[in-house]
Amino acid sequence: MSQAVVTLRKGEGRTLKAGGMWVYDNEIDSVMGSFENGDVVAIHDFDSYFMGYGYINMNSKIRVRLLSRKKDAVINEAFMEKRVRTAWNYRKETIDTSSCRLIFGEADFLPGIVVDKFADVLVVESLALGIDKWKLVIVEALKKVLAEDGIKIRGVYERSDAKVRLQEGLERYKGFIGEPFDTKVEIIENGVKYIVDVEDGQKTGFFLDQKNNRASIHKICKDKKVLDCFTHTGSFALNAGIAGAKSVLGVDASQLAVDQATENAKLNGLENTVKFVCEDVFELLPRLEAEGETFDVVILDPPAFTKSRNSIKNAVKGYREINVRGLKLVRNGGYLATCSCSHFMDPDLFAKTIREAAAGAHKRLRQVEFRTQGCDHPILWAADQSYYLKFYVFQVLEDM
């Protein structure tokens, strides 16, 4: 830990004082003392009141990311192991840990790092300079803590290749941490088998955050004709298939994703029930409507249409259009499962957009349920960047 002190401007730090984890560059009055970017510094209010410790990066608009509010905290290897142990104990109590997110950044009080567990493989994504310095310590702590429960990790892969690292002055990187291993990993989730490509798949290889949401569609898919849009590697489609759907069509614009989804269908013995096509969803849905196609269940799991507040208007248009198109393909009394994984598409705005889409499609919606991300992606209140996934299931009815 350095001896440097970051002092806030008078009247600033409101988010931090409310329980948030970040200090922005424009909230800081001064930085006194010697330090290097990535070092842990003390944070003081304008009147020298101690507010916590965090790591600093002068290259980032998020100037300091909080690690602890305790004045007697010592940020060392024992501190990191305690954080890791707390995160693991929480997962053991709340979710199936065969494959899950072990560390979720700020929500686990380890800002800037994500660690996913796929069977006996760990995938690490480091997004901030400060936590990058502790990355190997955190990995070794995870191995130790998991081993205490009889879980042996056979390999660790790093997927720190997100563009956001450039804003931290970091290069994008991916590669093995330790000995190389087969990066195609078989997992089982909700009774469905998948091959997860941790080297070349999106993000860390597989979207674990929808685990419980995928399970929730089982009851509405039995003996049904299902359309799964933006299927990626086929997760919702395969859950529909394993639940006993009559037929499932999965659609994605990536041929690689479609190929992986097709292999996953074969892995589950569903190749005759669950089919995948490589198409642009925005082009396919109007064509299906023109051909008079309808489905019992339509699932919309698009990528984030916006990753900043600046493009939210265009994102709303995208979400509205895709929901209008999807709703028009649902037969009377059928179901729509629709979601947004964009943090900036807040719950109220997403709900408003769906209402507008329903009006545009001349449909009535009866809400079955509302869900968020899985509890291995916990939502830390006051640190709202940890809340991003909104998931609805509706029954779709004609105007009556």
Side-chain angles (χ1 to χ4, degrees):
M1 294 171 61
S2 78
Q3 300 299 311
V5 175
V6 170
T7 301
L8 302 181
R9 294 176 177 173
K10 188 173 183 178
E12 296 292 352
R14 288 183 291 274
T15 301
L16 187 69
K17 293 168 187 174
M21 301 286 288
W22 293 349
V23 177
Y24 288 95
D25 55 351
N26 60 4
E27 297 182 294
I28 294 173
D29 181 62
S30 65
V31 183
M32 305 297 290
S34 60
F35 67 93
E36 293 182 1
N37 282 332
D39 283 353
V40 177
V41 299
I43 308 163
H44 288 181
D45 205 355
F46 74 98
D47 57 359
S48 299
Y49 180 81
F50 175 81
M51 298 185 70
Y53 296 112
Y55 45 76
I56 190 169
N57 187 353
M58 300 299 285
N59 293 316
S60 175
K61 281 190 170 296
I62 305 171
R63 192 57 48 92
V64 184
R65 298 174 190 251
L66 189 74
L67 282 168
S68 178
R69 296 177 188 271
K70 295 184 176 180
K71 195 169 188 177
D72 60 353
V74 179
I75 312 301
N76 56 17
E77 291 187 7
F79 175 93
M80 294 297 173
E81 182 179 320
K82 185 178 180 181
R83 284 280 196 264
V84 165
R85 192 174 296 278
T86 299
W88 173 239
N89 287 339
Y90 164 77
R91 268 81 183 170
K92 288 194 295 182
E93 293 171 351
T94 58
I95 201 162
D96 164 29
T97 58
S98 58
S99 292
C100 68
R101 177 150 293 182
L102 296 177
I103 305 290
F104 186 42
E106 282 74 0
D108 284 305
F109 308 101
L110 288 169
I113 192 167
V114 164
V115 183
D116 285 342
K117 175 181 177 290
F118 298 111
D120 56 357
V121 165
L122 300 183
V123 181
V124 179
E125 183 180 31
S126 171
L127 301 172
L129 175 60
I131 207 69
D132 216 57
K133 294 187 173 187
W134 292 98
K135 176 177 57 190
L136 297 183
V137 170
I138 291 169
V139 167
E140 289 307 310
L142 276 168
K143 287 182 178 178
K144 174 184 175 181
V145 169
L146 292 171
E148 292 172 4
D149 283 328
I151 300 169
K152 180 175 173 56
I153 297 301
R154 70 177 171 92
V156 183
Y157 197 82
E158 182 170 2
R159 284 297 303 271
S160 300
D161 49 352
K163 288 182 181 179
V164 70
R165 277 175 64 92
L166 303 177
Q167 298 171 18
E168 289 276 315
L170 293 167
E171 294 182 355
R172 300 165 74 180
Y173 173 81
K174 70 176 185 177
F176 294 99
I177 296 178
E179 292 298 313
F181 58 93
D182 184 356
T183 55
K184 301 288 180 66
V185 184
E186 183 173 326
I187 69 168
I188 301 176
E189 179 197 270
N190 302 334
V192 182
K193 298 175 185 177
Y194 302 92
I195 297 297
V196 176
D197 184 349
V198 302
E199 181 177 9
D200 294 319
Q202 288 188 33
K203 298 284 182 81
T204 61
F206 185 77
F207 297 109
L208 292 163
D209 51 2
Q210 294 269 30
K211 178 187 295 188
N212 296 338
N213 301 338
R214 289 190 278 262
S216 76
I217 69 162
H218 284 211
K219 58 186 175 291
I220 62 171
C221 288
K222 184 174 175 55
D223 298 322
K224 301 295 173 57
K225 180 182 177 183
V226 179
L227 174 66
D228 176 24
C229 301
F230 311 99
T231 191
H232 188 226
T233 53
S235 55
F236 273 106
L238 294 169
N239 273 267
I242 215 85
K246 182 169 56 180
S247 68
V248 184
L249 177 63
V251 187
D252 200 276
S254 163
Q255 186 62 55
L256 174 63
V258 166
D259 291 343
Q260 290 175 331
T262 301
E263 287 302 309
N264 286 332
K266 292 177 182 176
L267 189 64
N268 289 276
L270 293 170
E271 62 270 29
N272 294 325
T273 304
V274 184
K275 305 289 187 181
F276 297 97
V277 295
C278 182
E279 294 239 22
D280 183 320
V281 172
F282 284 94
E283 294 177 1
L284 176 63
L285 297 195
R287 193 165 77 244
L288 290 175
E289 181 190 350
E291 293 169 357
E293 283 276 14
T294 60
F295 297 84
D296 300 301
V297 180
V298 172
I299 301 162
L300 303 176
D301 183 20
F305 288 154
T306 177
K307 295 187 178 180
S308 73
R309 296 191 191 282
N310 296 333
S311 58
I312 194 66
K313 287 185 178 179
N314 286 334
V316 168
K317 291 179 183 177
Y319 283 114
R320 187 188 299 120
E321 179 183 348
I322 204 67
N323 278 278
V324 167
R325 297 294 185 186
L327 283 164
K328 287 183 176 181
L329 292 173
V330 181
R331 68 161 181 80
N332 187 35
Y335 295 90
L336 173 77
T338 184
C339 60
S340 167
C341 62
S342 171
H343 161 67
F344 296 100
M345 190 76 175
D346 67 54
D348 289 341
L349 182 57
F350 187 50
K352 178 175 180 287
T353 303
I354 294 171
R355 281 196 300 271
E356 291 171 350
H362 304 292
K363 302 284 187 175
R364 300 295 298 273
L365 298 183
R366 183 152 59 184
Q367 183 176 320
V368 178
E369 57 183 324
F370 172 74
R371 292 170 168 269
T372 60
Q373 62 235 41
C375 51
D376 54 340
H377 296 62
I379 298 168
L380 182 65
W381 283 36
D384 69 349
Q385 63 271 13
S386 64
Y387 181 16
Y388 65 96
L389 182 60
K390 287 77 58 181
F391 177 87
Y392 281 101
V393 177
F394 296 103
Q395 187 181 39
V396 181
L397 304 168
E398 303 288 351
D399 278 334
M400 300 176 71

